[in-house]
Amino acid sequence: MRLKAKIFMLAAVLVIAATLLSGCAGLKEVEISGLKELKPGLQDLWKKFTHEEEDNGQSWFSSKETIYFWYSDETLTDYINSAAVAFGEREGVRVLPVLCTESEYLEAIDEATLHSGQTPDVYLLSNDLLEKAYLAGLAAPVQDPMELCTEAHFPKAALDAVTYRDKIVAYPMFYETGALVYNQTYLEAWAKQQAEKAIVNGESGDEETDTGEPIDSSELDEEAVAAKMLEYLENAVPDTVDDILNIADTFDVPEGVEGIMKWDVSDIFYNYWFVGNYMIVGGDVGDEEENIHICNQEAIDCLTVYQALNQFFSIESDIVNYQSVVQDFIDGKIVFTIGTTDVLEKLTQAQEEGELAFEYGVAKIPDVSDKLQSRALSVTNGVVVNGYSEHKTLANAFAAYLTGECAATLYERTGRMSSNKSANTDDALLQVFFEEYGESVSLPKMMETENFWLQLEVLFAKVWNGEDVTALVKELDANMALQLEGAR
């Protein structure tokens, strides 16, 4: 490698590191706050290539076209830095990542755009904030130089999530959604029990009777039990909530199992699938004010089923949380739970550390019943090009690079699930989450309904604790109508 190229790579890394050290609070200029801690030789190198003039009257660094990439998720740091260096070296430009940990992230981007010498040219943003960003001029329709934003590369749910007023205003990068996680070893034990009962009761077609006495499996033909067990196992993964209740009614659980199913009933993200197909807020794209349907019989029926589950599973909503539920699953205390994409990394780690001693699987979230469909909630984080950027072409190119070429290594390096269809195709469990994502409903973008989720979470809590379902749904519907009317 030529000396100049080596120096460029070193200097680029120093810029990235120093930028991250500076944070973004009250940003006026990106200060190189870590410079004084560098060794004298590196300080001299830094100063030489940031201040020394060349023949053209410009510093070597300032001759490069530069864009600033903002993000708020610290787990992405190494991944973003690597992508920035690789893209910069290939294209002969500079991409400077800025980690912003401000609680008011979009407001910080707006502040930096209006009052800083380093405009955030491109940045990561959750899809529910895209209307706010677009109306503030902070989100420009994508140029899509690689024709990436099509259903050939992303599921419709991803494209809907980054669409506002019929314009794609971000490149889908990664997502979060939920799926059913199950203990495969327990399901095999259940299937064997059902096979043994079926054989003992005969194949006459009469209704099976359970005397409550344990079956002496030693007296049964092993091959017949194995064949019958496979029949039950093929249908063991539940398609509906009723299937889960059937397992709860018929499974003589092993010692240590405290319940058939447990999930975080206090968090709307893990509850929304009950009503996701029938409570419509803004349509699939999430920006249609006229497409809001909250109070309908199907939604009420789904919530009635949800309320009845409290009698079967007795989950205490005031003390349960996602972390404790995942730990209960790892400890073998439950058969089923609802997990988000991060659960696979937790289960893999527990297995490697010897804490998890069973096989597990992932399935799509079951329907509420054979007549009531479920639909999971999802959040998509997209790469947005700032409408005020003076480097939109370069910003679009980097956004396409991040969400296209870099998609394959995103999960491996960060634990975040790429929205790109080309990623994780060889991992069956990750593909289940991706299939669920493809059929999910995104958080809506409308600012008028931004507290809908908080109100819906309160509704779920009241329903779980036995309050009148119909009255609660009507109250929520009236509140949302009032908010929309007041915003007009």
Side-chain angles (χ1 to χ4, degrees):
M1 182 181 292
R2 295 172 58 191
L3 177 61
K4 190 171 183 179
K6 289 182 178 179
I7 292 173
F8 168 75
M9 290 184 65
L10 173 61
V13 171
L14 292 177
V15 172
I16 291 168
T19 302
L20 295 175
L21 285 170
S22 69
C24 68
L27 180 67
K28 300 299 181 185
E29 297 286 335
V30 176
E31 299 176 358
I32 311 303
S33 58
L35 179 59
K36 62 183 179 182
E37 298 177 5
L38 297 175
K39 294 180 179 180
L42 293 181
Q43 287 187 24
D44 293 341
L45 181 63
W46 174 263
K47 292 175 181 177
K48 173 180 176 60
F49 288 101
T50 53
H51 298 294
E52 182 179 310
E53 293 186 354
E54 294 186 342
D55 294 340
N56 60 5
Q58 291 183 312
S59 72
W60 181 81
F61 245 14
S62 64
S63 66
K64 301 289 183 179
E65 184 178 6
T66 301
I67 57 172
Y68 294 88
F69 177 86
W70 279 44
Y71 66 107
S72 61
D73 185 347
E74 191 171 2
T75 62
L76 296 171
T77 294
D78 290 343
Y79 177 82
I80 295 297
N81 287 351
S82 297
V85 171
F87 181 81
E89 184 180 41
R90 187 179 78 179
E91 303 296 330
V93 298
R94 287 189 301 161
V95 178
L96 302 185
V98 177
L99 173 62
C100 179
T101 56
E102 288 286 318
S103 58
E104 299 296 332
Y105 173 64
L106 189 58
E107 286 70 14
I109 290 173
D110 185 46
E111 175 73 14
T113 298
L114 297 176
H115 304 294
S116 167
Q118 291 102 9
T119 297
D121 299 282
V122 58
Y123 59 94
L124 269 173
L125 192 68
S126 174
N127 70 278
D128 56 307
L129 294 173
L130 285 175
E131 178 181 75
K132 189 173 185 180
Y134 183 84
L135 295 180
L138 298 174
V142 303
Q143 295 175 357
D144 199 14
M146 307 302 294
E147 297 185 352
L148 190 65
C149 295
T150 68
E151 290 191 46
H153 301 284
F154 298 100
K156 182 177 181 296
L159 298 175
D160 285 344
V162 296
T163 297
Y164 179 69
R165 293 184 179 176
D166 299 322
K167 299 180 180 70
I168 295 178
V169 294
Y171 296 80
M173 184 171 174
F174 61 91
Y175 69 90
E176 187 60 274
T177 194
L180 182 73
V181 185
Y182 60 90
N183 186 312
Q184 175 68 20
T185 303
Y186 287 162
L187 285 187
E188 290 173 1
W190 171 83
K192 184 178 181 182
Q193 287 179 13
Q194 305 318 300
E196 291 172 348
K197 290 176 185 177
I199 292 173
V200 167
N201 287 308
E203 302 294 336
S204 63
D206 295 336
E207 184 178 349
E208 296 179 6
T209 57
D210 189 351
T211 63
E213 296 295 324
I215 295 174
D216 185 358
S217 59
S218 64
E219 299 178 0
L220 302 178
D221 181 272
E222 292 184 4
E223 291 186 3
V225 171
K228 198 68 177 175
M229 174 183 167
L230 285 177
E231 292 181 21
Y232 280 99
L233 197 55
E234 286 178 359
N235 299 305
V237 177
D239 292 323
T240 68
V241 171
D242 288 336
D243 293 337
I244 294 176
L245 296 179
N246 176 60
I247 292 174
D249 287 338
T250 58
F251 191 16
D252 183 13
V253 298
E255 184 177 353
V257 177
E258 298 178 354
I260 294 298
M261 184 172 182
K262 187 177 184 180
W263 73 100
D264 186 358
V265 297
S266 67
D267 191 325
I268 189 61
F269 203 88
Y270 304 99
N271 278 332
Y272 187 74
W273 57 277
F274 280 95
V275 298
N277 201 52
Y278 304 106
M279 277 196 179
I280 310 301
V281 182
D284 287 345
V285 175
D287 63 355
E288 303 169 10
E289 291 185 14
E290 70 283 359
N291 193 2
I292 296 181
H293 304 284
I294 294 172
C295 186
N296 55 74
Q297 190 58 50
E298 290 84 359
I300 291 171
D301 290 344
C302 288
L303 284 168
T304 301
V305 172
Y306 174 80
Q307 187 176 68
L309 293 180
N310 195 1
Q311 300 174 19
F312 287 92
F313 303 128
S314 301
I315 305 169
E316 298 183 47
S317 60
D318 56 338
I319 61 173
V320 71
N321 61 69
Y322 181 62
Q323 299 304 322
S324 68
V325 169
V326 172
Q327 190 59 52
D328 283 349
F329 184 83
I330 290 171
D331 293 340
K333 296 179 179 179
I334 53 178
V335 182
F336 300 104
T337 190
I338 302 296
T340 37
T341 57
D342 63 310
V343 73
L344 294 180
E345 193 172 12
K346 297 177 189 295
L347 296 180
T348 299
Q349 182 179 350
Q351 206 164 40
E352 291 173 351
E353 295 174 354
E355 296 179 15
L356 190 151
F358 55 82
E359 296 300 317
Y360 59 88
V362 178
K364 294 176 67 175
I365 285 179
D367 284 332
V368 179
S369 71
D370 57 357
K371 295 181 180 179
L372 297 169
Q373 296 179 322
S374 64
R375 194 176 185 190
L377 183 65
S378 67
V379 179
T380 300
N381 280 264
V383 184
V384 181
V385 174
N386 194 330
Y388 292 98
S389 172
E390 296 179 356
H391 306 276
K392 289 188 180 67
T393 299
L394 181 57
N396 273 274
F398 183 63
Y401 175 74
L402 266 184
T403 56
E405 292 182 50
C406 295
T409 59
L410 179 62
Y411 180 77
E412 179 184 352
R413 298 192 60 184
T414 69
R416 301 289 184 261
M417 289 282 289
S418 172
S419 298
N420 197 307
K421 288 181 177 180
S422 66
N424 308 311
T425 55
D426 58 345
D427 191 312
L429 298 183
L430 293 180
Q431 281 299 299
V432 175
F433 277 101
F434 193 76
E435 289 174 19
E436 192 72 68
Y437 173 54
E439 298 176 7
S440 67
V441 57
S442 295
L443 285 173
K445 307 173 181 71
M446 295 178 294
M447 291 185 286
E448 294 86 355
T449 60
E450 61 184 351
N451 70 341
F452 170 71
W453 304 104
L454 178 60
Q455 293 192 46
L456 187 59
E457 192 167 272
V458 171
L459 179 146
F460 266 95
K462 291 180 177 179
V463 168
W464 187 254
N465 291 317
E467 294 192 29
D468 185 85
V469 172
T470 302
L472 288 169
V473 172
K474 288 181 177 180
E475 181 183 6
L476 177 62
D477 186 57
N479 288 342
M480 285 298 102
L482 191 61
Q483 283 184 207
L484 288 168
E485 185 63 31
R488 291 190 176 101

